[in-house]
Amino acid sequence: MTAPHIFDRALALKPSGIRAGLSTGMTSADYWNMIGPFGGTTAAVVLQSVLQHPDLLGTPIALTVNYAAAIEAGAFDVQATAVRTNRSTQHWTIEITQAAAGGAPHVTTTATVVTAARRETWGANDLPMPAVPAPAAVKRISIGPTGVAWTNQYEMRPISGKIPATWDGGGDHSESLIWLRDADPRPLDFTSLASLSDMFYPRVWLRRARHVPAGTVSITTYFHVGPAELAAVGTGYLLGRAVGQQFHNGFFDQAAQLWSEAGLLLATSNQIVYFKE
């Protein structure tokens, strides 16, 4: 029997048996960030709690995750609740909690998910993939021993907009283009697509070329494809583009898009990020 992929181990949720939609998970040291789990993994856990729910309708079209507090290393609970089911859409609320010092639940994450039963209709793409070199023509980078484990789990081949080599305040743009995929190949699905949507470092670092503290407050990801299109991607690369939009009084927003190698727009995301002087 093949061992589960490292990402699937990080997403493992065990139903509690106490009530519908309540599951227990465990943080993964392999996807650790500076003070908690990588935000993309947390988003994937949120989505996983909905995808494994017995009342699920359709497939994901929207995911919003609000990072209220850092998840501490150890066990956590996830409650996924279907608050409204219509003919073609279903609306979910999700909370991640951990036991506080006194034993009471401490909310770390709130989220919403919308799933839908898609039907074949007319379609068009008004956001074509940029013309870029093929993945094999772009050098793979290694972040190195930074104490941030999650970066080791992804293969990254930046085309432009790399992390500044010199923090001299001389930045003049915030756009990055990069090829991405799991370092240990894994077929793309909705959970890994959700995680990859949060792969981009804070745009303020590139725009200012200053390494200021920053962290995501809230991220929304929109899924534009179904299981068949994800299966066609397989373990291939995704082209990611990220750009900042407005930087103001301690917060900024950044937008991102992810395309398949074939040029299919798979997902788009927007997030609001805080930064400190």
Side-chain angles (χ1 to χ4, degrees), residues 228-261:
E229 292 89 349
L230 295 179
V233 175
T235 60
Y237 292 92
L238 305 188
L239 177 69
R241 174 185 178 268
V243 64
Q245 298 181 122
Q246 176 68 37
F247 305 83
H248 180 67
N249 288 355
F251 293 88
F252 65 93
D253 66 331
Q254 63 185 53
Q257 301 89 38
L258 290 167
W259 292 267
S260 70
E261 290 183 71

Side-chain angles (χ1 to χ4, degrees), residues 26-48:
M26 185 71 66
T27 58
S28 169
D30 297 311
Y31 287 91
W32 201 251
N33 205 346
M34 291 175 287
I35 59 171
F38 166 47
T41 312
T42 301
V45 166
V46 164
L47 189 55
Q48 179 79 334

Side-chain angles (χ1 to χ4, degrees), residues 5-65:
H5 190 278
I6 190 172
F7 185 69
D8 295 301
R9 294 202 300 270
L11 301 193
L13 295 174
K14 181 180 179 181
S16 70
I18 299 174
R19 59 180 177 271
L22 179 62
S23 301
T24 299
M26 185 71 66
T27 58
S28 169
D30 297 311
Y31 287 91
W32 201 251
N33 205 346
M34 291 175 287
I35 59 171
F38 166 47
T41 312
T42 301
V45 166
V46 164
L47 189 55
Q48 179 79 334
S49 73
V50 171
L51 294 178
Q52 73 176 29
H53 198 288
D55 296 336
L56 174 66
L57 169 72
T59 57
I61 60 171
L63 163 68
T64 296
V65 182

